[in-house]
Amino acid sequence: MPTEVDRDRLQSLIDEGVQLVEVLPAGEFEDEHLPGAINMPLRKIEAEARDSLDRSRPVVVYCWDYA
Amino acid sequence: MYDYVAGKQDWVSAGLPTEGQLPSRPRAGDVARKDVPTCRVNEALDEVAERVRAAGWDASVVVNEERVVFGLLRAAELAAGRGRSVEEAMRPGPSTFRPNVPIEEMAGFMGEHQLHSAPVTTSDGRLVGLLLREEAERAAHELHHAATEGDER
């Protein structure tokens, strides 16, 4: 299970070089995303994560809100 | 693996920087005046009014030590009389707006509701700045003008 983080903790993780993954559809990502984030829409995440993410660095995923 | 459960909405509502196509359009947080004078509820109104006037303003946002907005003092409230405290004179719990609201939307809303100014706060209520209607309208006009010029090219 992923560990839930709030905004302050996220900012610390970003400073530490975390990989930031937005799971929203590509159009929403192109409109606006967090600095340095990459896009892996939820439907493709399992297939893409293996190839695109660095296993040695932590990952933070996010979508639009709590839903 | 971590989950930022509050998501992108929480980030943009806090006025933090983003990347992509939308951030190039000005928003409430970009245009809001960060230099608006602030005061505390327990201050004397006449002292605050003097300080606000000296800074060239006719409004002050009432905040606590964490900059959470408690109220607003506009020109009418600042002139509310001697011997009163900020708490007695302020307009409590003013409507606040998030920094990510597009400026054209803010300008339209403020015009429609005859709002002279509007506090812009993060999602947890901390003051970002005070948005003045004339500055929101000017920014929206410039945006519209730039878009029209772009269409004509």
Side-chain angles (χ1 to χ4, degrees), chain B residues 4-151:
Chain B
Y4 176 34
V5 286
K8 185 159 65 174
Q9 184 184 43
D10 176 67
W11 186 270
V12 296
S13 298
L16 292 167
T18 55
E19 296 172 349
Q21 292 162 359
L22 287 183
S24 60
R25 298 171 71 87
R27 298 190 265 190
D30 301 322
V31 182
R33 292 280 297 271
K34 319 293 187 298
D35 59 339
V36 60
T38 59
C39 61
R40 302 287 172 85
V41 287
N42 56 359
E43 285 191 82
L45 182 64
D46 44 1
E47 285 174 19
V48 171
E50 197 179 313
R51 195 170 75 225
V52 168
R53 271 192 295 272
W57 280 79
D58 63 356
S60 177
V61 184
V62 186
V63 296
N64 69 3
E65 62 280 358
E66 291 174 327
R67 284 180 69 80
V68 172
V69 172
F70 279 13
L72 186 61
L73 291 168
R74 299 163 304 181
E77 287 90 25
L78 283 166
R82 290 188 166 276
R84 301 179 75 189
S85 70
V86 165
E87 188 171 19
E88 289 169 318
M90 72 179 187
R91 186 173 161 229
S95 297
T96 59
F97 300 84
R98 299 293 85 77
N100 58 309
V101 179
I103 200 64
E104 59 270 38
E105 196 178 309
M106 280 303 306
F109 184 89
M110 293 176 83
E112 195 179 318
H113 293 83
Q114 294 296 302
L115 290 176
H116 174 256
S117 60
V120 176
T121 68
T122 62
S123 48
D124 41 11
R126 289 168 212 265
L127 180 67
V128 172
L130 189 69
L131 183 62
L132 305 178
R133 188 168 90 207
E134 60 185 36
E135 294 185 1
E137 288 173 342
R138 190 182 310 129
H141 177 76
E142 283 168 8
L143 188 63
H144 177 73
H145 186 65
T148 311
E149 274 196 341
D151 288 345

Side-chain angles (χ1 to χ4, degrees), chain A residues 7-67:
Chain A
R7 196 191 318 138
D8 290 340
R9 176 71 179 125
L10 174 62
Q11 285 178 297
S12 308
L13 288 166
I14 290 172
D15 291 342
E16 292 164 18
V18 76
Q19 299 171 92
L20 204 47
V21 178
E22 177 168 318
V23 300
L24 291 166
E28 291 183 47
F29 176 81
E30 284 160 16
D31 275 349
E32 185 166 38
H33 52 266
L34 273 60
I38 58 170
N39 184 219
M40 282 187 203
L42 212 48
R43 281 182 298 155
K44 300 178 183 172
I45 196 166
E46 282 194 30
E48 291 186 3
R50 221 167 295 144
D51 297 331
S52 307
L53 295 174
D54 176 353
R55 283 171 178 268
S56 65
R57 288 160 56 209
V59 174
V60 178
V61 294
Y62 71 89
C63 59
W64 175 245
D65 60 14
Y66 290 93

